[in-house]
């Protein structure tokens, strides 16, 4: 608990480079090492700041668990209201992915049928394609989480 | 195959005495029958027609296939870029005093919020780098972007006192925003804003979240002492100019 946790720099670099490639016209801007460290520190402080605000809102409503509504209110209080709409959209996608995973697990099918099902899903609908992308993301999250614990 | 079909057509024509019956039974015979009746000696036309008929659905399938593949690639690329470890974020959240339990959905929202925050900071830092005609973003660009934006006030002391905080991490652990504040350190920094014609407002003062958190309580008087209370006009103007 007392140890200082940092956000992984490889992911930070990926996020920063992704945005730079999108917004800059020539696409040649990069980040130095101390700049990347500043981004990582800023992200960590942002999480601290937002979690403290959300926790205060959670206490006001006299509950023990921070939920998404507290987070949205915290974003508005910390003057980041423009984040709320896209965050709600991504939350809906996350919920769809979870619901879909539960259905697959309840049926108890093997890997190959799952892959075929996902492939067919992609051919029929764009949303399901995006869900597959998030599946990959979650896999990476769990892997890096484990590596973090090992460290 | 064409010869076989031709033979079949010939045989069926021979067997059936009434030629009018053929089109009602088999639709393919209609096409062949009309060709044979109108152009009895132009048999090479058949393979071309059949080849064209087969080719059209194949081209459509190929077009659809590659369109789907392109969409798939774009979606995969865009989603793989955004992946922050949820366990790490939970640890950082629990480092804050008073935070006990966090729902899974809240962690996901925090991860997305942090990504969006990083992207916004990236845009502003890249603008600062371009102003200095550089193509590599340095720490001073990030600090400059933070000092220019009111909503990033909570990062001011962290970035400016970066070296000190790194030293403190060995002794204190997770650095508190409150512990990082010192009056002598803040006074020279806040002399900068008047030159930039922006007055950074303390976020805690505006939000009014003082009770219940010792860290916030320490921040409140420290931040308010060197500067006046924030006015909504500078924030609106800064936001409009930024966007």
């Amino acid at each position: 608990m007392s140890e200082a946790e940092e956000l992984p720099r490889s992911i930070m670099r990926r996020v920063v480079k992704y945005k730079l490639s999108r917004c800059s016209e020539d696409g040649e801007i990069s980040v130095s090492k101390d700049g990347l460290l500043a981004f990582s520190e800023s992200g960590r402080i942002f999480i601290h700041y937002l979690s403290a605000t959300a926790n205060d809102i959670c206490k006001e409503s006299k509950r023990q668990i921070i939920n998404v509504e507290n987070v949205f209110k915290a974003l508005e209080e910390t003057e980041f209201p423009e984040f709320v709409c896209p965050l709600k959209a991504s939350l809906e996608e996350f919920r769809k992915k979870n619901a879909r995973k539960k259905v697959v697990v309840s049926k108890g099918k093997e890997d190959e049928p799952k892959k075929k099902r996902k492939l067919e899903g992609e051919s029929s609908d764009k949303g399901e394609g995006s869900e597959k992308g998030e599946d990959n993301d979650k896999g990476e999250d769990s892997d890096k989480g484990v590596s973090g614990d090992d460290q | 195959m064409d010869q076989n079909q031709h033979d079949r057509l010939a045989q069926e024509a021979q067997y059936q005495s009434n030629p009018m019956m053929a089109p009602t039974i088999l639709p393919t015979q209609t096409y062949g029958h009309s060709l044979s009746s109108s152009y009895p000696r132009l048999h090479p036309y058949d393979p071309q027609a059949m080849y064209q008929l087969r080719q059209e659905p194949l081209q459509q399938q190929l077009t659809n296939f590659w369109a789907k593949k392109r969409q798939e690639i774009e979606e995969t690329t865009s989603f793989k870029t955004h992946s922050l470890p949820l366990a790490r974020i939970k640890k950082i959240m629990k480092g804050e005093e008073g935070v006990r339990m966090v729902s899974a959905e809240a962690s996901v929202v925090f991860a997305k919020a942090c990504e969006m925050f990083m992207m916004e900071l990236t845009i502003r830092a890249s603008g600062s780098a371009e102003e200095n005609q550089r193509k590599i973003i340095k720490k001073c660009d990030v600090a400059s972007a933070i000092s220019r934006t009111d909503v990033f006030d909570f990062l001011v002391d962290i970035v400016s006192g970066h070296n000190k905080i790194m030293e403190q991490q060995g002794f204190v652990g997770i650095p508190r925003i409150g512990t990082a504040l010192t009056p002598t350190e803040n006074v020279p920094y806040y002399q900068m804003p008047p030159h930039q014609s922006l007055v950074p407002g303390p976020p805690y003062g505006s939000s009014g979240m003082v009770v219940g958190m010792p860290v916030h309580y320490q921040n409140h008087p420290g931040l308010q002492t060197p500067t006046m209370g924030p006015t909504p006009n500078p924030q609106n103007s800064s936001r409009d100019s930024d966007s």
Side-chain angles (χ1 to χ4, degrees):
Chain A
M1 294 293 290
S2 62
E3 62 181 8
E5 284 288 338
E6 284 188 357
L7 295 172
R9 296 178 190 177
S10 59
I11 296 177
M12 281 293 146
R13 180 178 289 275
R14 203 186 303 163
V15 171
V16 171
K17 278 197 169 183
Y18 169 78
K19 196 59 184 177
L20 286 174
S21 65
R22 284 299 186 90
C23 68
S24 64
E25 293 177 359
D26 51 357
E28 291 181 357
I29 300 182
S30 59
V31 186
S32 68
K33 193 172 184 180
D34 60 344
L36 194 64
L37 195 62
F39 277 117
S40 182
E41 284 285 324
S42 303
R44 185 170 61 83
I45 298 303
F46 173 76
I47 292 174
H48 274 290
Y49 179 46
L50 192 63
S51 59
T53 310
N55 191 47
D56 290 336
I57 294 171
C58 182
K59 298 302 179 187
E60 283 180 355
S61 61
K62 298 182 179 177
R63 291 182 180 177
Q64 299 297 320
I65 302 174
I66 295 174
N67 56 31
V68 289
E69 294 301 325
N70 302 143
V71 179
F72 292 144
K73 287 184 180 178
L75 283 166
E76 289 176 0
E77 281 203 16
T78 55
E79 301 178 13
F80 289 102
E82 65 270 14
F83 284 10
V84 176
C85 285
L87 282 175
K88 285 185 176 178
S90 65
L91 181 63
E92 288 300 321
E93 288 177 359
F94 175 75
R95 284 173 173 170
K96 284 182 182 177
K97 185 180 71 176
N98 263 6
R100 195 152 159 266
K101 274 196 169 183
K102 287 179 180 177
V103 171
V104 172
V105 170
S106 65
K107 288 186 178 179
K109 294 194 173 182
E110 295 180 355
D111 289 339
E112 287 185 0
K114 284 182 184 177
K115 289 180 180 178
K116 289 181 179 178
R117 177 182 292 267
K118 286 180 181 177
L119 190 62
E120 290 174 0
E122 286 175 13
S123 63
S124 64
D125 191 7
K126 292 181 182 179
E128 292 180 1
S130 66
E131 289 176 6
K132 183 191 178 185
E134 287 194 354
D135 287 341
N136 293 338
D137 293 345
K138 187 166 184 181
E140 290 181 4
D141 285 350
S142 64
D143 290 342
K144 293 185 186 288
V146 171
S147 65
D149 292 334
D150 291 338
Q151 293 175 358
Chain B
M1 291 180 70
D2 294 332
Q3 293 179 358
N4 292 332
Q5 288 180 359
H6 182 66
D7 292 338
R8 288 176 188 173
L9 287 175
Q11 288 177 2
E12 289 173 356
Q14 289 178 0
Y15 282 115
Q16 292 178 0
S17 61
N18 189 358
M20 295 302 292
M21 291 295 291
T24 57
I25 295 170
L26 293 173
T28 54
Q29 283 189 345
T30 305
Y31 187 70
H33 184 70
S34 62
L35 280 180
S36 63
S37 63
S38 59
Y39 305 102
R41 294 184 180 179
L42 292 178
H43 299 298
Y45 187 75
D46 287 340
Q48 291 180 1
M50 295 301 292
Y51 182 70
Q52 287 179 2
L53 285 176
R54 284 183 220 141
Q55 202 172 12
E56 288 177 3
L58 186 62
Q59 286 181 348
Q60 287 180 1
Q61 287 180 2
L62 282 174
T63 306
N64 292 330
F65 175 76
W66 286 115
K68 288 170 188 172
K69 282 294 177 182
R70 214 176 292 116
Q71 287 177 1
E72 188 180 339
I73 289 167
E74 287 178 0
E75 286 171 356
T76 305
T77 304
S78 65
F79 275 95
K80 276 185 178 176
T81 308
H82 313 283
S83 60
L84 286 171
L86 297 182
R88 194 75 62 89
I89 287 175
K90 272 193 176 180
K91 280 189 178 180
I92 295 172
M93 290 174 75
K94 289 186 177 179
E96 195 69 29
E97 290 180 359
V99 176
R100 292 183 180 179
M101 296 183 74
V102 182
S103 69
E105 289 179 346
S107 299
V108 173
V109 171
F110 260 80
K112 288 287 181 180
C114 190
E115 288 167 17
M116 295 168 65
F117 166 77
M118 295 298 296
M119 289 188 173
E120 183 171 353
L121 192 59
T122 303
I123 293 173
R124 297 181 189 280
S126 66
S128 178
E130 285 178 356
E131 284 179 4
N132 296 325
Q133 297 180 358
R134 282 189 279 98
K135 292 191 172 179
I136 296 177
I137 295 173
K138 296 182 178 179
K139 181 188 168 185
C140 59
D141 298 321
V142 181
S144 176
I146 288 168
S147 62
R148 292 180 182 180
T149 315
D150 288 340
V151 292
F152 292 158
D153 283 342
F154 63 95
L155 297 166
V156 162
D157 51 335
I158 297 297
V159 173
S160 62
H162 189 71
N163 295 324
K164 288 194 174 182
I165 290 165
M166 292 300 289
E167 290 175 0
Q168 286 180 4
Q169 277 185 358
F171 304 95
V172 179
I174 296 175
R176 305 297 179 187
I177 299 174
T179 56
L181 284 174
T182 50
T184 56
E185 191 175 357
N186 287 325
V187 170
Y189 180 81
Y190 280 101
Q191 291 174 357
M192 291 291 292
H195 299 290
Q196 298 176 358
S197 72
L198 282 176
V199 179
Y204 304 127
S206 62
S207 63
M209 303 300 293
V210 177
V211 181
M213 293 297 293
V215 177
H216 291 286
Y217 187 75
Q218 290 176 6
N219 283 332
H220 186 71
L223 283 174
Q224 272 195 348
T225 304
T227 60
M228 300 297 292
T231 54
N233 290 329
Q235 292 179 1
N236 292 332
S237 64
S238 67
R239 283 202 179 188
D240 292 338
S241 62
D242 289 332
S243 64

